[in-house]
Amino acid sequence: MNQPTPTTPPSRPGKSAVLSRGSYAEALRIGEILRKETVGGALLVAAAVIALIWANSPASDSYFALRDLKVGYEPWHLELSLGAWAADGLLAIFFFLVGLELKREFVAGDLRQISKSIVPVAAAAGGVVVPALIYVAINLTSPETLRGWAIPTATDIAFAVAVLAIIGSHLPSALRIFLLTLAVVDDLIAITIIAFFYTSDLDVTPLLLALIPLALYAFLAHKYRHFFGMKASAAWFILLPLGMVTWALVHASGIHATVAGVLLGFAVPVFRSQASGGPDAGPGLAEIFEHRFRPISAGVAVPIFAFFSAGVAVGGWEGLGSALADPVALGIIVGLVVGKPIGILGVTWLLTKATRAELDKSFKWIDIFGVALLAGIGFTVSLLVAELSFGQGSLHDDHAKVGILAASVLAALLATAVLKTRNRQYREAEALEKVDADQDGIPDVYQERN
């Protein structure tokens, strides 16, 4: 006897589904990004583990000497330590990809539709506000640590996607898209926070001068988009120098240089020009650049940053206990592990109750909870904000890093416990559907004989 085939109930009249599957093209594009970020996530974790082992080994002095080794040209204010080069320079490549992704999402992706963007955008905002409030509440009696309020607000897409790829092979594609969208919007909020709250001694002159190479970069990228798309070397020899000048001037202005990466990403056109056939003729320059530079970001820039930022001398079990007892680490752990799920799940639930939207029938609230737990992995950007908050190598920075690492591991384990169970249920449902489909294809005469 055939098992009943699971079906997707239709939405109630007057209701619109939120967190739905989206377009097929969008699902394909998201899938490709997830595959690349999975490799980057593995390299990120490996780099962090190596840094932790080295920083707590008998050869720890050599690790910190390497991290603090200064190179560069001092007259241009570019004599920086290797750790600073990784945070200010290499991480700008990561934020360039963030800028490309943000522009593509809001210009050509499913997020250009308000009905599809309102829920993940609002959920991401909730996932920023609630952890920040929790951190402030825990550190309220310690004014010198309040500056780190933004540390638990970030989600590390590479780390989170790597975990999801391992445990969630049969989860609905809409959940994967939701996680990526959360992380992208989360990055936009993080960029805004860095630009406005972690900028000191702003120098307007270099900032205004940065507009000149940035404008020229944008003009050339739009005017000759087909040329730069076809000739990879042209982008390296023409656009890259303009981008480096923009980065250097933004760095000199006092604004964190990673913001330059986002601005350069925003300056790249998403669609093909009409002369090249328009939007339907193939991928635009933003997508081409994304294909070219994502391996550099995920495979080189972010792992090197993690290597120089994650290394902290814990000081044995006693030092670990002291670090975890610090309100800084405690605020980060509770903010990421508890605040993120409350903010994301709570805002999503409120929207379904306060508006005419309802949850897509392809998954359940427990699935959203699992993804919200996964968003508590706040590795890369959280490490950057910790350094901006307290200064690299300071006691609070070291304790913040311990909190970030502990929270990210704990969030990954809790999300795995929830989503692995759900993944097994979705896999069993798919197997039943396949059996039903095979049985439905059996000739009627055969069924009558049996």
CSV table of all heavy atoms in Angstrom, one decimal, residues 283-344:
chain,number,residue,atom,x,y,z
A,283,PRO,N,25.8,37.1,-17.5
A,283,PRO,CA,26.2,37.8,-16.3
A,283,PRO,C,26.8,39.1,-16.5
A,283,PRO,O,27.5,39.4,-17.4
A,283,PRO,CB,27.2,36.8,-15.7
A,283,PRO,CG,27.7,36.0,-16.9
A,283,PRO,CD,26.6,35.9,-17.8
A,284,GLY,N,26.5,40.0,-15.6
A,284,GLY,CA,27.1,41.4,-15.6
A,284,GLY,C,28.4,41.4,-14.9
A,284,GLY,O,28.9,40.4,-14.4
A,285,LEU,N,29.0,42.6,-14.9
A,285,LEU,CA,30.4,42.7,-14.4
A,285,LEU,C,30.5,42.3,-12.9
A,285,LEU,O,31.4,41.7,-12.4
A,285,LEU,CB,30.9,44.1,-14.6
A,285,LEU,CG,32.4,44.3,-14.3
A,285,LEU,CD1,33.3,43.4,-15.2
A,285,LEU,CD2,32.8,45.8,-14.5
A,286,ALA,N,29.4,42.7,-12.1
A,286,ALA,CA,29.4,42.3,-10.7
A,286,ALA,C,29.5,40.8,-10.5
A,286,ALA,O,30.3,40.4,-9.6
A,286,ALA,CB,28.2,42.9,-10.0
A,287,GLU,N,28.8,40.1,-11.2
A,287,GLU,CA,28.8,38.6,-11.1
A,287,GLU,C,30.1,38.1,-11.6
A,287,GLU,O,30.6,37.1,-11.0
A,287,GLU,CB,27.6,38.0,-11.9
A,287,GLU,CG,27.5,36.5,-11.7
A,287,GLU,CD,26.3,35.9,-12.3
A,287,GLU,OE1,25.4,36.7,-12.8
A,287,GLU,OE2,26.2,34.7,-12.4
A,288,ILE,N,30.7,38.6,-12.6
A,288,ILE,CA,32.0,38.2,-13.1
A,288,ILE,C,33.0,38.4,-12.1
A,288,ILE,O,33.9,37.6,-11.8
A,288,ILE,CB,32.3,38.9,-14.5
A,288,ILE,CG1,31.4,38.4,-15.6
A,288,ILE,CG2,33.8,38.6,-14.9
A,288,ILE,CD1,31.5,39.2,-16.9
A,289,PHE,N,33.0,39.6,-11.5
A,289,PHE,CA,34.0,39.9,-10.5
A,289,PHE,C,33.8,39.0,-9.3
A,289,PHE,O,34.8,38.6,-8.6
A,289,PHE,CB,33.9,41.4,-10.1
A,289,PHE,CG,34.6,42.4,-11.0
A,289,PHE,CD1,35.2,41.9,-12.1
A,289,PHE,CD2,34.8,43.7,-10.6
A,289,PHE,CE1,35.9,42.8,-13.0
A,289,PHE,CE2,35.4,44.6,-11.4
A,289,PHE,CZ,36.0,44.1,-12.6
A,290,GLU,N,32.6,38.7,-9.0
A,290,GLU,CA,32.3,37.8,-7.8
A,290,GLU,C,33.0,36.5,-8.0
A,290,GLU,O,33.6,35.9,-7.1
A,290,GLU,CB,30.8,37.7,-7.6
A,290,GLU,CG,30.4,37.0,-6.3
A,290,GLU,CD,28.9,37.0,-6.2
A,290,GLU,OE1,28.2,38.0,-6.5
A,290,GLU,OE2,28.4,36.0,-5.7
A,291,HIS,N,32.8,35.9,-9.3
A,291,HIS,CA,33.4,34.6,-9.6
A,291,HIS,C,35.0,34.7,-9.5
A,291,HIS,O,35.6,33.8,-9.1
A,291,HIS,CB,33.0,34.2,-11.0
A,291,HIS,CG,31.7,33.6,-11.1
A,291,HIS,ND1,31.4,32.3,-10.7
A,291,HIS,CD2,30.5,34.2,-11.5
A,291,HIS,CE1,30.1,32.1,-10.9
A,291,HIS,NE2,29.5,33.2,-11.4
A,292,ARG,N,35.5,35.8,-9.9
A,292,ARG,CA,37.0,36.0,-10.0
A,292,ARG,C,37.6,36.1,-8.6
A,292,ARG,O,38.6,35.5,-8.3
A,292,ARG,CB,37.4,37.2,-10.8
A,292,ARG,CG,37.2,37.0,-12.3
A,292,ARG,CD,37.6,38.3,-13.0
A,292,ARG,NE,37.3,38.2,-14.4
A,292,ARG,CZ,37.4,39.3,-15.3
A,292,ARG,NH1,37.8,40.5,-14.8
A,292,ARG,NH2,37.1,39.2,-16.5
A,293,PHE,N,36.9,36.9,-7.7
A,293,PHE,CA,37.6,37.3,-6.5
A,293,PHE,C,37.1,36.6,-5.3
A,293,PHE,O,37.8,36.6,-4.2
A,293,PHE,CB,37.3,38.8,-6.3
A,293,PHE,CG,38.0,39.7,-7.3
A,293,PHE,CD1,37.2,40.5,-8.1
A,293,PHE,CD2,39.4,39.7,-7.5
A,293,PHE,CE1,37.8,41.3,-9.1
A,293,PHE,CE2,40.0,40.5,-8.5
A,293,PHE,CZ,39.2,41.3,-9.3
A,294,ARG,N,36.0,35.8,-5.4
A,294,ARG,CA,35.5,35.1,-4.2
A,294,ARG,C,36.6,34.0,-3.7
A,294,ARG,O,36.8,33.9,-2.5
A,294,ARG,CB,34.2,34.4,-4.4
A,294,ARG,CG,33.6,33.8,-3.2
A,294,ARG,CD,32.1,33.4,-3.4
A,294,ARG,NE,31.2,34.5,-3.7
A,294,ARG,CZ,30.7,35.2,-2.7
A,294,ARG,NH1,31.0,35.0,-1.4
A,294,ARG,NH2,29.8,36.2,-3.0
A,295,PRO,N,37.2,33.3,-4.7
A,295,PRO,CA,38.2,32.3,-4.2
A,295,PRO,C,39.4,33.0,-3.5
A,295,PRO,O,39.9,32.5,-2.5
A,295,PRO,CB,38.7,31.7,-5.5
A,295,PRO,CG,37.5,31.8,-6.4
A,295,PRO,CD,36.9,33.1,-6.1
A,296,ILE,N,39.7,34.2,-3.9
A,296,ILE,CA,40.8,35.0,-3.2
A,296,ILE,C,40.4,35.4,-1.8
A,296,ILE,O,41.1,35.3,-0.9
A,296,ILE,CB,41.2,36.2,-4.0
A,296,ILE,CG1,41.7,35.8,-5.4
A,296,ILE,CG2,42.3,37.0,-3.3
A,296,ILE,CD1,42.0,37.0,-6.3
A,297,SER,N,39.1,35.8,-1.7
A,297,SER,CA,38.6,36.2,-0.4
A,297,SER,C,38.5,35.0,0.5
A,297,SER,O,39.0,35.0,1.7
A,297,SER,CB,37.3,36.9,-0.6
A,297,SER,OG,36.7,37.2,0.7
A,298,ALA,N,37.8,34.0,0.1
A,298,ALA,CA,37.5,32.8,0.9
A,298,ALA,C,38.7,32.0,1.2
A,298,ALA,O,38.8,31.4,2.2
A,298,ALA,CB,36.4,32.0,0.3
A,299,GLY,N,39.6,31.9,0.2
A,299,GLY,CA,40.7,31.0,0.3
A,299,GLY,C,42.0,31.6,0.8
A,299,GLY,O,42.9,30.9,1.3
A,300,VAL,N,42.1,32.9,0.7
A,300,VAL,CA,43.4,33.6,1.1
A,300,VAL,C,43.1,34.7,2.2
A,300,VAL,O,43.6,34.6,3.3
A,300,VAL,CB,44.1,34.2,-0.1
A,300,VAL,CG1,45.4,34.9,0.4
A,300,VAL,CG2,44.4,33.1,-1.1
A,301,ALA,N,42.3,35.7,1.8
A,301,ALA,CA,42.2,36.9,2.6
A,301,ALA,C,41.6,36.6,4.0
A,301,ALA,O,42.2,36.9,5.1
A,301,ALA,CB,41.4,37.9,1.9
A,302,VAL,N,40.5,35.9,4.1
A,302,VAL,CA,39.8,35.7,5.3
A,302,VAL,C,40.6,34.7,6.2
A,302,VAL,O,40.7,34.9,7.4
A,302,VAL,CB,38.3,35.2,5.1
A,302,VAL,CG1,37.7,34.9,6.4
A,302,VAL,CG2,37.5,36.4,4.4
A,303,PRO,N,41.1,33.6,5.7
A,303,PRO,CA,41.9,32.7,6.5
A,303,PRO,C,43.1,33.4,7.1
A,303,PRO,O,43.5,33.1,8.3
A,303,PRO,CB,42.3,31.6,5.6
A,303,PRO,CG,41.2,31.5,4.6
A,303,PRO,CD,40.8,33.0,4.4
A,304,ILE,N,43.8,34.2,6.3
A,304,ILE,CA,45.0,34.9,6.9
A,304,ILE,C,44.6,35.9,8.0
A,304,ILE,O,45.2,36.0,9.0
A,304,ILE,CB,45.7,35.6,5.7
A,304,ILE,CG1,46.4,34.6,4.8
A,304,ILE,CG2,46.8,36.6,6.3
A,304,ILE,CD1,47.1,35.3,3.6
A,305,PHE,N,43.5,36.6,7.8
A,305,PHE,CA,43.0,37.5,8.8
A,305,PHE,C,42.7,36.7,10.1
A,305,PHE,O,43.0,37.1,11.2
A,305,PHE,CB,41.7,38.2,8.4
A,305,PHE,CG,41.0,38.9,9.5
A,305,PHE,CD1,41.4,40.0,10.0
A,305,PHE,CD2,39.8,38.3,10.0
A,305,PHE,CE1,40.7,40.6,11.1
A,305,PHE,CE2,39.1,38.9,11.0
A,305,PHE,CZ,39.6,40.1,11.6
A,306,ALA,N,42.0,35.5,9.9
A,306,ALA,CA,41.7,34.7,11.1
A,306,ALA,C,42.9,34.2,11.8
A,306,ALA,O,43.0,34.1,13.0
A,306,ALA,CB,40.8,33.5,10.6
A,307,PHE,N,44.0,33.9,11.0
A,307,PHE,CA,45.2,33.4,11.6
A,307,PHE,C,45.8,34.5,12.5
A,307,PHE,O,46.3,34.2,13.6
A,307,PHE,CB,46.2,33.0,10.4
A,307,PHE,CG,47.6,32.7,10.9
A,307,PHE,CD1,47.9,31.5,11.5
A,307,PHE,CD2,48.6,33.6,10.8
A,307,PHE,CE1,49.1,31.2,12.0
A,307,PHE,CE2,49.9,33.3,11.3
A,307,PHE,CZ,50.1,32.1,11.9
A,308,PHE,N,45.8,35.7,12.0
A,308,PHE,CA,46.5,36.8,12.8
A,308,PHE,C,45.5,37.3,13.9
A,308,PHE,O,46.0,37.9,14.9
A,308,PHE,CB,46.9,37.9,11.9
A,308,PHE,CG,48.1,37.7,11.1
A,308,PHE,CD1,48.1,37.6,9.8
A,308,PHE,CD2,49.4,37.5,11.8
A,308,PHE,CE1,49.3,37.3,9.0
A,308,PHE,CE2,50.5,37.2,11.1
A,308,PHE,CZ,50.5,37.1,9.7
A,309,SER,N,44.2,37.1,13.8
A,309,SER,CA,43.3,37.7,14.8
A,309,SER,C,42.9,36.7,15.9
A,309,SER,O,42.5,37.1,17.0
A,309,SER,CB,42.1,38.2,14.1
A,309,SER,OG,42.4,39.3,13.2
A,310,ALA,N,42.8,35.4,15.5
A,310,ALA,CA,42.3,34.4,16.5
A,310,ALA,C,43.3,33.9,17.5
A,310,ALA,O,43.0,33.3,18.5
A,310,ALA,CB,41.8,33.2,15.7
A,311,GLY,N,44.6,34.2,17.2
A,311,GLY,CA,45.7,33.7,18.1
A,311,GLY,C,45.6,34.5,19.4
A,311,GLY,O,46.0,35.7,19.5
A,312,VAL,N,45.3,33.9,20.5
A,312,VAL,CA,45.2,34.5,21.8
A,312,VAL,C,45.8,33.6,22.8
A,312,VAL,O,45.5,32.4,22.8
A,312,VAL,CB,43.8,34.9,22.2
A,312,VAL,CG1,42.9,33.7,22.1
A,312,VAL,CG2,43.8,35.5,23.6
A,313,ALA,N,46.7,34.1,23.7
A,313,ALA,CA,47.3,33.2,24.7
A,313,ALA,C,46.3,33.1,25.9
A,313,ALA,O,46.1,34.0,26.6
A,313,ALA,CB,48.6,33.9,25.2
A,314,VAL,N,45.7,31.9,26.0
A,314,VAL,CA,44.7,31.7,26.9
A,314,VAL,C,45.2,31.6,28.4
A,314,VAL,O,44.6,32.1,29.3
A,314,VAL,CB,43.9,30.4,26.6
A,314,VAL,CG1,42.8,30.1,27.7
A,314,VAL,CG2,43.3,30.5,25.2
A,315,GLY,N,46.4,31.0,28.5
A,315,GLY,CA,47.0,30.9,29.8
A,315,GLY,C,46.5,29.7,30.6
A,315,GLY,O,46.3,29.8,31.9
A,316,GLY,N,46.2,28.6,30.0
A,316,GLY,CA,45.8,27.4,30.7
A,316,GLY,C,44.3,27.5,31.1
A,316,GLY,O,43.6,28.4,30.8
A,317,TRP,N,43.9,26.5,32.0
A,317,TRP,CA,42.5,26.5,32.4
A,317,TRP,C,42.2,27.7,33.3
A,317,TRP,O,41.1,28.2,33.3
A,317,TRP,CB,42.3,25.2,33.2
A,317,TRP,CG,42.3,24.0,32.3
A,317,TRP,CD1,43.2,23.0,32.2
A,317,TRP,CD2,41.3,23.7,31.4
A,317,TRP,NE1,42.9,22.1,31.3
A,317,TRP,CE2,41.7,22.4,30.7
A,317,TRP,CE3,40.1,24.2,31.0
A,317,TRP,CZ2,40.9,21.8,29.7
A,317,TRP,CZ3,39.3,23.6,30.0
A,317,TRP,CH2,39.7,22.4,29.4
A,318,GLU,N,43.2,28.1,34.1
A,318,GLU,CA,43.0,29.3,35.0
A,318,GLU,C,42.8,30.5,34.2
A,318,GLU,O,41.9,31.3,34.4
A,318,GLU,CB,44.2,29.4,35.9
A,318,GLU,CG,44.0,30.6,36.9
A,318,GLU,CD,45.2,30.7,37.8
A,318,GLU,OE1,46.1,29.8,37.8
A,318,GLU,OE2,45.3,31.8,38.6
A,319,GLY,N,43.6,30.7,33.1
A,319,GLY,CA,43.4,31.9,32.2
A,319,GLY,C,42.1,31.8,31.5
A,319,GLY,O,41.5,32.8,31.3
A,320,LEU,N,41.7,30.6,31.1
A,320,LEU,CA,40.4,30.4,30.4
A,320,LEU,C,39.3,30.8,31.3
A,320,LEU,O,38.3,31.5,30.8
A,320,LEU,CB,40.3,29.0,29.8
A,320,LEU,CG,39.0,28.7,29.1
A,320,LEU,CD1,38.9,29.5,27.8
A,320,LEU,CD2,39.0,27.2,28.7
A,321,GLY,N,39.3,30.3,32.5
A,321,GLY,CA,38.3,30.7,33.4
A,321,GLY,C,38.2,32.2,33.7
A,321,GLY,O,37.1,32.7,33.8
A,322,SER,N,39.4,32.8,33.8
A,322,SER,CA,39.4,34.2,34.1
A,322,SER,C,38.8,35.0,32.9
A,322,SER,O,38.1,36.0,33.1
A,322,SER,CB,40.8,34.7,34.3
A,322,SER,OG,40.9,36.1,34.5
A,323,ALA,N,39.1,34.5,31.7
A,323,ALA,CA,38.6,35.2,30.5
A,323,ALA,C,37.1,35.1,30.4
A,323,ALA,O,36.4,36.1,30.0
A,323,ALA,CB,39.3,34.6,29.2
A,324,LEU,N,36.6,33.9,30.6
A,324,LEU,CA,35.2,33.6,30.5
A,324,LEU,C,34.4,34.4,31.6
A,324,LEU,O,33.2,34.6,31.4
A,324,LEU,CB,34.9,32.1,30.5
A,324,LEU,CG,35.4,31.3,29.3
A,324,LEU,CD1,35.2,29.8,29.5
A,324,LEU,CD2,34.8,31.8,28.0
A,325,ALA,N,35.0,34.7,32.7
A,325,ALA,CA,34.3,35.4,33.8
A,325,ALA,C,34.3,36.9,33.5
A,325,ALA,O,33.5,37.6,34.2
A,325,ALA,CB,35.0,35.1,35.1
A,326,ASP,N,35.1,37.4,32.6
A,326,ASP,CA,35.1,38.8,32.2
A,326,ASP,C,33.7,39.2,31.6
A,326,ASP,O,33.2,38.4,30.7
A,326,ASP,CB,36.2,39.0,31.2
A,326,ASP,CG,36.4,40.5,30.9
A,326,ASP,OD1,35.4,41.3,31.0
A,326,ASP,OD2,37.6,40.9,30.6
A,327,PRO,N,33.1,40.3,32.0
A,327,PRO,CA,31.8,40.7,31.4
A,327,PRO,C,31.9,40.8,29.9
A,327,PRO,O,30.9,40.7,29.2
A,327,PRO,CB,31.6,42.0,32.1
A,327,PRO,CG,32.3,42.0,33.4
A,327,PRO,CD,33.5,41.2,33.1
A,328,VAL,N,33.1,41.1,29.4
A,328,VAL,CA,33.2,41.2,27.9
A,328,VAL,C,32.9,39.9,27.3
A,328,VAL,O,32.1,39.8,26.4
A,328,VAL,CB,34.6,41.7,27.5
A,328,VAL,CG1,34.9,41.6,26.0
A,328,VAL,CG2,34.9,43.1,28.0
A,329,ALA,N,33.6,38.8,27.7
A,329,ALA,CA,33.4,37.5,27.1
A,329,ALA,C,32.0,37.0,27.4
A,329,ALA,O,31.3,36.4,26.5
A,329,ALA,CB,34.4,36.5,27.7
A,330,LEU,N,31.5,37.3,28.6
A,330,LEU,CA,30.1,36.8,29.0
A,330,LEU,C,29.1,37.5,28.1
A,330,LEU,O,28.1,36.9,27.7
A,330,LEU,CB,29.9,37.1,30.5
A,330,LEU,CG,28.6,36.5,31.1
A,330,LEU,CD1,28.6,35.0,31.0
A,330,LEU,CD2,28.5,36.9,32.5
A,331,GLY,N,29.2,38.8,27.9
A,331,GLY,CA,28.3,39.5,27.1
A,331,GLY,C,28.3,39.0,25.7
A,331,GLY,O,27.2,39.0,25.0
A,332,ILE,N,29.5,38.7,25.2
A,332,ILE,CA,29.6,38.2,23.8
A,332,ILE,C,28.9,36.8,23.7
A,332,ILE,O,28.1,36.6,22.7
A,332,ILE,CB,31.0,38.1,23.4
A,332,ILE,CG1,31.6,39.6,23.2
A,332,ILE,CG2,31.2,37.4,22.0
A,332,ILE,CD1,33.1,39.6,23.0
A,333,ILE,N,29.2,35.9,24.6
A,333,ILE,CA,28.7,34.6,24.5
A,333,ILE,C,27.1,34.6,24.6
A,333,ILE,O,26.4,34.0,23.8
A,333,ILE,CB,29.3,33.7,25.6
A,333,ILE,CG1,30.8,33.5,25.4
A,333,ILE,CG2,28.6,32.4,25.7
A,333,ILE,CD1,31.5,32.8,26.5
A,334,VAL,N,26.6,35.3,25.6
A,334,VAL,CA,25.1,35.3,25.8
A,334,VAL,C,24.5,36.1,24.6
A,334,VAL,O,23.4,35.7,24.1
A,334,VAL,CB,24.8,36.0,27.1
A,334,VAL,CG1,23.2,36.1,27.2
A,334,VAL,CG2,25.4,35.3,28.3
A,335,GLY,N,25.2,37.1,24.1
A,335,GLY,CA,24.6,37.9,23.0
A,335,GLY,C,24.5,37.0,21.7
A,335,GLY,O,23.5,37.1,21.0
A,336,LEU,N,25.6,36.3,21.4
A,336,LEU,CA,25.6,35.5,20.2
A,336,LEU,C,24.7,34.2,20.3
A,336,LEU,O,23.9,33.9,19.4
A,336,LEU,CB,27.0,35.1,19.8
A,336,LEU,CG,27.9,36.2,19.2
A,336,LEU,CD1,29.4,35.7,19.1
A,336,LEU,CD2,27.4,36.6,17.8
A,337,VAL,N,24.9,33.5,21.4
A,337,VAL,CA,24.2,32.2,21.5
A,337,VAL,C,22.7,32.4,21.9
A,337,VAL,O,21.9,31.6,21.4
A,337,VAL,CB,24.9,31.4,22.6
A,337,VAL,CG1,24.2,30.0,22.8
A,337,VAL,CG2,26.4,31.1,22.2
A,338,VAL,N,22.4,33.4,22.7
A,338,VAL,CA,21.0,33.6,23.1
A,338,VAL,C,20.3,34.7,22.4
A,338,VAL,O,19.2,34.6,21.9
A,338,VAL,CB,20.9,33.8,24.7
A,338,VAL,CG1,19.5,34.1,25.1
A,338,VAL,CG2,21.5,32.6,25.4
A,339,GLY,N,21.1,35.9,22.3
A,339,GLY,CA,20.5,37.1,21.7
A,339,GLY,C,20.2,36.9,20.2
A,339,GLY,O,19.1,37.4,19.7
A,340,LYS,N,21.1,36.3,19.5
A,340,LYS,CA,20.8,36.1,18.0
A,340,LYS,C,19.5,35.3,17.7
A,340,LYS,O,18.7,35.8,17.0
A,340,LYS,CB,22.0,35.4,17.4
A,340,LYS,CG,23.2,36.3,17.0
A,340,LYS,CD,22.8,37.1,15.7
A,340,LYS,CE,24.0,38.0,15.3
A,340,LYS,NZ,23.7,38.8,14.1
A,341,PRO,N,19.4,34.2,18.3
A,341,PRO,CA,18.1,33.4,18.1
A,341,PRO,C,16.9,34.2,18.5
A,341,PRO,O,15.8,34.2,17.8
A,341,PRO,CB,18.3,32.1,18.9
A,341,PRO,CG,19.8,32.0,19.0
A,341,PRO,CD,20.3,33.4,19.1
A,342,ILE,N,16.9,34.8,19.7
A,342,ILE,CA,15.8,35.6,20.1
A,342,ILE,C,15.4,36.7,19.2
A,342,ILE,O,14.3,36.9,18.8
A,342,ILE,CB,16.0,36.2,21.5
A,342,ILE,CG1,16.1,35.1,22.6
A,342,ILE,CG2,15.0,37.2,21.9
A,342,ILE,CD1,16.4,35.6,24.0
A,343,GLY,N,16.5,37.5,18.7
A,343,GLY,CA,16.2,38.6,17.8
A,343,GLY,C,15.7,38.1,16.5
A,343,GLY,O,14.7,38.7,15.9
A,344,ILE,N,16.3,37.1,15.9
A,344,ILE,CA,15.9,36.6,14.5
A,344,ILE,C,14.6,35.9,14.6
A,344,ILE,O,13.6,36.3,13.8
A,344,ILE,CB,17.0,35.7,14.0
A,344,ILE,CG1,18.3,36.5,13.7
A,344,ILE,CG2,16.5,35.0,12.7
A,344,ILE,CD1,19.5,35.6,13.3
